[in-house]
Amino acid sequence: MSFDYLALGAGGSGFNTLDIFATLFFFIVLMVLLKKFAWGPLMGIMNEREQLVASEIEAAENSRLESQKLLDEQRELLKQARTEALAIVENAKKQGDVSREEIMTTAREEATRLKESAIREIETEKARAIAAVREEVVSLSVLAASKVLEKEVTEEDNRALIEATIAKAGEAK
């Protein structure tokens, strides 16, 4: 048996080189057309999509970093506010202590001043009372002397005169 490649191809039982070359040619043409009209735009769309996703990821990362920065700033401000509030409270306590001490000192000084004033007033009134008593004693003595001079006094008259003087001195008080 002899193999005739051309005959086999026509008969359907062998390889047809013309069909192989035609298929290969059309495959290459199809690949060129696909590359020009399908792969190029498809790859362009894929590149655009890749760039969009990359830019969104970058924007999200930048937003996250900015949020973290703002959170850190807020925490720092809150810490400063707490520190300032504690300082204000501490200052108010100190001011309250100073004011309390000033008020206590002023009150003590006022009490001392009033006490000294009362003592001076009591001493003044005591001196006046003593002066009044002396004046009364002098006046009673003068009265007693004048009575003695008016009459001669016996021991019994002298005793009665003293008792009467003492009684008058008691009534005067």
Side-chain angles (χ1 to χ4, degrees):
M1 232 178 151
S2 84
F3 289 104
D4 187 6
Y5 289 106
L6 291 175
L8 281 177
S13 62
F15 289 108
N16 186 351
T17 55
L18 185 60
D19 285 341
I20 292 174
F21 286 121
T23 304
L24 188 60
F25 172 75
F26 284 119
F27 181 73
I28 291 173
V29 169
L30 180 64
M31 291 307 280
V32 168
L33 289 174
L34 280 175
K35 184 177 179 184
K36 183 176 181 178
F37 293 110
W39 286 109
L42 184 61
M43 292 307 287
I45 290 171
M46 293 301 284
N47 286 337
E48 287 177 14
R49 179 72 178 146
E50 182 182 354
Q51 289 175 357
L52 178 66
V53 169
S55 68
E56 286 179 356
I57 288 172
E58 184 179 337
E61 182 65 22
N62 289 339
S63 177
R64 187 190 67 79
L65 290 174
E66 183 67 24
S67 296
Q68 185 64 38
K69 181 181 173 185
L70 290 174
L71 180 62
D72 291 342
E73 288 176 4
Q74 291 299 321
R75 285 181 179 160
E76 184 63 30
L77 288 174
L78 183 60
K79 184 179 176 183
Q80 288 176 354
R82 284 182 181 152
T83 303
E84 289 175 9
L86 288 175
I88 289 170
V89 168
E90 191 63 32
N91 189 21
K93 284 181 183 177
K94 287 179 183 177
Q95 283 292 85
D97 290 343
V98 167
S99 295
R100 182 173 45 91
E101 286 301 318
E102 287 176 357
I103 289 169
M104 292 295 287
T105 301
T106 304
R108 284 184 191 119
E109 290 172 355
E110 182 68 16
T112 303
R113 188 186 63 77
L114 288 173
K115 181 180 173 184
E116 290 172 357
S117 174
I119 290 171
R120 281 192 305 271
E121 190 173 321
I122 289 170
E123 288 174 359
T124 303
E125 289 299 320
K126 182 179 173 184
R128 283 186 190 157
I130 289 173
V133 167
R134 282 186 185 158
E135 190 177 307
E136 188 69 27
V137 167
V138 168
S139 127
L140 288 174
S141 296
V142 168
L143 179 66
S146 67
K147 296 233 181 201
V148 167
L149 290 177
E150 287 178 3
K151 69 177 187 180
E152 202 173 296
V153 182
T154 64
E155 189 176 319
E156 193 175 296
D157 288 339
N158 192 18
R159 193 175 295 265
L161 184 60
I162 290 172
E163 287 177 9
T165 305
I166 291 174
K168 265 191 176 179
E171 289 175 9
K173 288 184 179 180

